[in-house]
Every structure is written in C-alpha cells, then in structure tokens.
Amino acid sequence: MMKGCRVMVVLLGLWFVFGLSVPGGRTEAASPRANDAPIVLLHGFTGWGREEMLGFKYWGGVRGDIEQWLNDNGYRTYTLAVGPLSSNWDRACEAYAQLVGGTVDYGAAHAAKHGHARFGRTYPGLLPELKRGGRVHIIAHSQGGQTARMLVSLLENGSQEEREYAKAHNVSLSPLFEGGHHFVLSVTTIATPHDGTTLVNMVDFTDRFFDLQKAVLKAAAVASNVPYTSQVYDFKLDQWGLRRQPGESFDHYFERLKRSPVWTSTDTARYDLSIPGAEKLNQWVQASPNTYYLSFSTERTHRGALTGNYYPELGMNAFSAVVCAPFLGSYRNEALGIDDRWLENDGIVNTVSMNGPKRGSSDRIVPYDGTLKKGVWNDMGTCNVDHLEVIGVDPNPSFDIRAFYLRLAEQLASLRP
C-alpha cells in the first residue's frame, strides 16, 4: 500500500527548510490566512494536561512542545485536559466547560441514567468569546477525535433527551444541550478509532483472568486520595465519587466505592472505544455540514508473507510492539465483521478505523485532492508512524513532527468559514 504521508513528510521537510525564513526560531506562514480561529489540542485515552506528568507534554513529548511551537509561529493554540478514562459524552461536556467557562454539566438525564453526579469542576474558560460567535479548530489525537465529533454534534443539535428531561423535571438545561451553536470550524483527527479498536477485545480476553478495568479504576480511586498525586496525573473521575469526602471513614469510603455503578457502566472510554460502542456512537454523531473534517491515519506494521498477519516494524514503541501490535495484527472475529482489513495497525488502533466513521455511519469519506471540503471526511492519507510517535511521545527521527503540525496549522488557517 502506498504510504501517502511519507511523501507528505518529505515535501513538508523541503518546504520547511527551503521555503521559509526562521529568525529567532520562528517560521512565517507561506499562505494567506482566511481565518484567525485559534487551535485547540484534544488528547486521547489516558491523556493528560500541560500541568501534569512533571511537565512532560502529551503534545510533543520528547520532541518538544507543540502548543508552544504553534504559538511561537503565530497560531494561537491551547490544550484541553479532559477525563483520561471517561466516556466521550463526559469528555465533551468537560471540553465545552473548559472552552467557554463555567461548571461542567454532564446533563440531568445522563447523570440519572448512569448514576453519577450531574456537575463537575468549574473552569474560567480558555475562549469565552466562543459564546459570542467565535470559531475554533480542534486537533484531536486517538479517542480525542471521537470526543470532538460528539462535541460538535451536541453544540449544533443539542440533546432531545436532556431537553425533555429538563422540562419534565423542571430542572436547568446546559446551553450545550440546547443546540444551535456553530463555533467549531474544523475537526482534525489523528489516529482516531472512529470504528473502535480491537485492542479492547484483548483487554476483554485479559479480564477473564484479571479484571483490568477494575484494577485501573481502583488505582484511580486510591490516587485521587493521595496528596499531590493529581499534579502528576489527574484521573478526573470526580463525577463518579471516587474521591474520599472530608470526614469520611476509610471503611465507609471503600464500601461506597464497591457499590459505585462505574464498575459495570457503559459510560466509560472502554465501551466507547470498543467496536460495538463506536458503532453506537456513529449512529447518532454525524458530520456537520458547517464543519471541515480532516482525518490522518497511522500505521507501523508489515504483512507477513506466510501468515497474512501484520507484525510491528522495527522502531515501534516497545510496549506496543511486544504486547499490543501482535494481537491487533492477528485478531479476526467473524461475528463482529473483523477480517483481514483490520490487521494493519499503529500498535494501538487498527488503521482501517482511522479515516472516518463507517460502521453505523452515513458520513462520507473522500480522498484529499488538494481542496478541503465541508461536511465530509477529507482523508489526508496514512503516516508511517506509531500511535505515540505521531504526537512526539516517542521519538521518530524520520518524522518531522514540527513541520507536520505547522503545515496542518497553515492548512486550517486557509479554510474559509
């Protein structure tokens, strides 16, 4: 298969070296801008914010700081920090509050249905001007792409279930669920499992012997009660009551934890990232005609001539290469419709799932032909990098991460509202 993004990276490198002047480490954009909308970076599953991980950036990792790099080059950029293990609904509600300001409202109907608190943390707002008609670009990695899609859908269409519940129970309604908001100009997804990832099936298999989800959630509960832990890694699961209350005894706290509905809930990232969970999301989260959608796929495997399975390439992240990629590259499931097309992967997500939603979706996916189109998925090609290399968490000398994101920022700035 032709790896279109390899060509793109070479061209970007030439453009970066010869086409621009770089005084003081800054790079001037080559194309005129059609919009000045800021960029927002939205992380994926298990991601973290800029103030966590002792300063090690999710967006840039060992390769630098993508937010700072884009800001230094004239593209106003911010980073969101939503629940790393939370469902896309909860993450979208958190993203909304972080963008415009206010207290996170997960929705009265949603909270009652899933058994968690309705309200979360309060934020000052990164871009309060969005309430007054501003626009924004969202660049999302992995699960962040699902979250961004859901945010756009809720902003534009609201939630009929929340509107009816608020009216029937005479409770307030978040503006997010009213609909009629059109402030997302573009959504760019990078290595997003739009149709889910079969890695969840590996976790399900593991759970027969060791309940991984419960272990992770219990770790989150314990970490939430250790002073200063959130400064290193914040699980942001407040809505589930995983934090011990002032004056609450340990016995009462752990009994309350055992009764929490989170252990069996579908309102989690794990369900949303599964094949059935992603398909359910695709059935109602549809592309907006007012938004540009760009999808970048990633892969770091090769096909074995004898088995037909896909194996990790040399240089893939070690954990992914040993634990995850071999499963993804050989897992087939006739009942789920998982065939040979699903074997190519980037160590975490099946490449076939990345170019846009297909299972249960009516969205159109079109190859990028030099002109970005609204309301459809512009398939930008496949990059030969693994799931972590594409955000710089793992180094890949052959992938110029700065040129990649700078060129993307220039493309987004050229879009006409």
Side-chain angles (χ1 to χ4, degrees):
M1 184 185 72
M2 183 174 182
K3 297 178 173 65
C5 203
R6 285 177 174 168
V7 178
M8 178 182 177
V9 169
V10 173
L11 293 175
L12 288 177
L14 293 173
W15 169 84
F16 179 73
V17 173
F18 299 109
L20 307 170
S21 60
V22 204
R26 296 174 62 86
T27 304
E28 302 302 326
S31 301
R33 299 192 186 188
N35 73 82
D36 61 356
I39 293 170
V40 171
L41 305 175
L42 180 54
H43 67 74
F45 179 67
T46 70
W48 57 90
R50 288 180 62 78
E51 307 306 319
E52 300 172 58
M53 297 293 282
L54 304 177
F56 182 81
K57 300 296 188 287
Y58 181 92
W59 291 94
V62 297
R63 305 300 299 277
D65 184 342
I66 293 172
E67 179 190 305
Q68 188 64 53
W69 170 248
L70 293 179
N71 275 304
D72 287 347
N73 285 278
Y75 297 96
R76 190 158 53 114
T77 305
Y78 304 87
T79 301
L80 299 178
V82 295
L85 307 179
S86 297
S87 68
N88 285 302
W89 178 286
D90 288 2
R91 287 161 55 98
C93 295
E94 292 163 4
Y96 174 74
Q98 289 178 31
L99 285 170
V100 304
T103 300
V104 178
D105 186 343
Y106 297 107
H110 179 84
K113 178 180 179 180
H114 293 285
H116 67 58
R118 175 181 174 183
F119 297 105
R121 302 181 187 183
T122 300
Y123 298 94
L126 295 171
L127 298 165
E129 64 268 25
L130 294 177
K131 292 181 177 180
R132 302 186 295 273
R135 305 298 295 274
V136 67
H137 301 290
I138 300 177
I139 299 177
H141 174 246
S142 195
Q143 187 192 356
Q146 288 182 315
T147 304
R149 290 169 48 207
M150 183 172 288
L151 176 61
V152 173
S153 181
L154 289 174
L155 283 168
E156 297 209 351
N157 307 310
S159 168
Q160 184 65 25
E161 183 180 16
E162 291 294 339
R163 290 192 291 264
E164 292 175 353
Y165 189 96
K167 183 176 181 180
H169 294 81
N170 194 30
V171 295
S172 61
L173 180 70
S174 167
L176 177 60
F177 306 128
E178 293 174 352
H181 308 289
H182 307 284
F183 63 63
V184 180
L185 179 56
S186 75
V187 169
T188 300
T189 67
I190 302 171
T192 290
H194 292 289
D195 290 332
T197 171
T198 57
L199 192 61
V200 175
N201 298 80
M202 186 186 79
V203 174
D204 290 341
F205 178 78
T206 304
D207 278 353
R208 298 178 188 176
F209 310 98
F210 176 68
D211 197 329
L212 186 60
Q213 175 171 267
K214 284 190 177 180
V216 171
L217 290 170
K218 286 176 181 176
V222 172
S224 296
N225 292 280
V226 177
Y228 309 113
T229 300
S230 63
Q231 297 177 18
V232 178
Y233 190 83
D234 188 348
F235 286 91
K236 305 177 187 70
L237 289 168
D238 304 24
Q239 70 271 33
W240 291 104
L242 296 187
R243 187 179 297 276
R244 186 183 174 198
Q245 301 302 314
E248 185 178 22
S249 69
F250 273 108
D251 288 343
H252 185 273
Y253 171 62
F254 280 110
E255 282 300 317
R256 180 165 60 82
L257 279 185
K258 287 193 293 185
R259 296 192 301 271
S260 173
V262 69
W263 311 121
T264 56
S265 178
T266 58
D267 189 33
T268 62
R270 174 176 173 173
Y271 178 73
D272 284 352
L273 293 171
S274 70
I275 307 302
E279 184 170 356
K280 184 175 181 180
L281 183 150
N282 292 346
Q283 290 170 354
W284 69 273
V285 175
Q286 300 177 348
S288 164
N290 305 301
T291 300
Y292 294 93
Y293 294 87
L294 294 72
S295 62
F296 288 88
S297 301
T298 53
E299 63 82 27
R300 200 77 153 89
T301 54
H302 65 276
R303 185 177 184 273
L306 298 179
T307 65
N309 294 338
Y310 277 73
Y311 301 93
E313 292 181 357
L314 186 65
M316 178 184 280
N317 169 269
F319 178 82
S320 296
V322 174
V323 178
C324 306
F327 179 87
L328 291 168
S330 60
Y331 180 78
R332 301 168 177 84
N333 187 318
E334 186 176 346
L336 288 175
I338 306 301
D339 53 25
D340 285 5
R341 293 172 299 173
W342 284 76
L343 302 184
E344 186 179 28
N345 66 86
D346 69 355
I348 298 294
V349 175
N350 316 80
T351 303
V352 71
S353 184
M354 299 179 189
N355 67 344
K358 296 172 286 295
R359 296 173 68 106
S361 176
S362 59
D363 287 3
R364 289 179 56 222
I365 302 172
V366 299
Y368 174 58
D369 61 1
T371 302
L372 294 170
K373 304 170 181 63
K374 276 187 179 181
V376 301
W377 285 93
N378 297 273
D379 183 351
M380 307 298 289
T382 302
C383 303
N384 182 220
V385 288
D386 71 32
H387 202 72
L388 299 180
E389 289 171 336
V390 76
I391 53 172
V393 171
D394 261 6
N396 183 337
S398 66
F399 182 68
D400 191 337
I401 191 170
R402 288 187 170 191
F404 176 82
Y405 284 98
L406 190 57
R407 171 58 180 162
L408 175 56
E410 182 187 344
Q411 282 188 300
L412 299 181
S414 72
L415 296 175
R416 298 196 175 278

